[in-house]
Amino acid sequence: MPYVREINQIDELLGLRTVWRTLLDRTPGASFFHSREWLHTYARHFGEDMKFRILLIGPPDCPEGILPLVVYREGTRVGPLRVLSYPLHDWGSFYGPIGPDPAGTLAAGLRHIRQTRRDWDFLELRWCGAPGTDLRHCDKAMHYAGFQSYPSIWDRTAVVDLRGDWASYFAGRPSSLRNNFRRRQKRLAKLGALRFERYRPRGEPQGDADLRWDLYETCERLAGRSWQASSTSGTTLSSDSIRSFLRDVHVEAVRLGAADINLLWLDDRPVAFAYNYHWRGYVSGLRVGFDPEFGREGVGGLLWGMSLRDSFERGDRVYDMGAGALDVKRHYRTDVLPIFRFGHYPALAPRTQLLRLRRWAQGHLLGEDAALALCQGSALGVAQTS
């Protein structure tokens, strides 16, 4: 069994900068959310009531994989329970082990979890099934560790497969979208100079890490004016509960070369924005918004189209539009990918068994064959990373 070192103090991650980046560059299906910078910032803002269990797999002087896990208390229909899961909390669509061998890393990490004191009530590996990864390793790793595995659907995300070219993709969109896209450009052009701007710095190693707070704060102001500002969930760029967190993440994303700001301007007036992260061609949509005064002009959809056209030209691979509002994204998306979770609910814990039964009653639990069929049935479910 490989050597496993467990880290519980988040500041110890600072000493892993080089090894984490090396492993991240070799991780199938990786996104910005797999980065050490994301995890460290997330922990600084929200980790006070959590226990981090970050597992380094392999020789002490040269880890071959990293498995970031976290224990936190979560409200459920059967009462508050402690869950052991990945540290993502739905900020992105997918997560998993870091390194070239996710199956081996996950298997060794879960075996370590099995052999140490249980400080959790149930285990759920959420956000599984990223493009370019093999879903089967989740189920196999849990069985290897001695955990009964229950696969289920956590959510679904709309994606655009960017393999190919813009002309072919656009020709395959519904005629209503193509006509509206052209019509809206012409109509807005009569009101002023229409301009698309995308800021994607290459990062500190390339000497290109200008934070461009002017652009970020433009997105913030648009978010404050959009319909999202009235949302009670407090998840917009301008929301007080997460504003400082997202600004700190922006700093780290720019330094790492993972920030992606998209703006649509009418003369000198911003009318729509999309703030994303990107990593090796995988674009993760974070937040979008538009000026309500131009809502009837369809500026939000127009910006999506321009961003996608630019992504095709840049050679991006996948544009993950994110979970939720799938109907709004239906004309642009090429696929809807299932986001899986693999759960283990200890047999001698009555409340966790009630939770498992609730999931079964709601039709969320799947057999392994059904889970694999859903994943492999999508266009990107078996796509390989470049």
Side-chain angles (χ1 to χ4, degrees), residues 27 38 42 45 63 85 89 93 99 108 113 122 136-137 149 168 176 190 231 234 237 245-246 285 302 305 347 350:
T27 301
W38 152 261
Y42 165 83
H45 280 265
S85 190
H89 275 78
S93 299
I113 292 294
F122 69 105
R136 290 171 296 185
H137 78 253
S149 174
S168 300
S176 58
K190 294 179 181 179
S231 171
L237 291 184
F245 165 64
L246 292 179
L302 192 58

Side-chain angles (χ1 to χ4, degrees), residues 150-156 337-342 359 363-366 370-371 374-375:
Y150 295 92
S152 60
I153 297 292
W154 174 252
D155 209 336
R156 290 176 169 82
L337 297 186
I339 303 171
F340 291 97
R341 65 182 162 196
F342 286 79
R359 300 218 194 288
H364 290 226
L365 293 185
L366 305 168
L374 272 174
C375 186

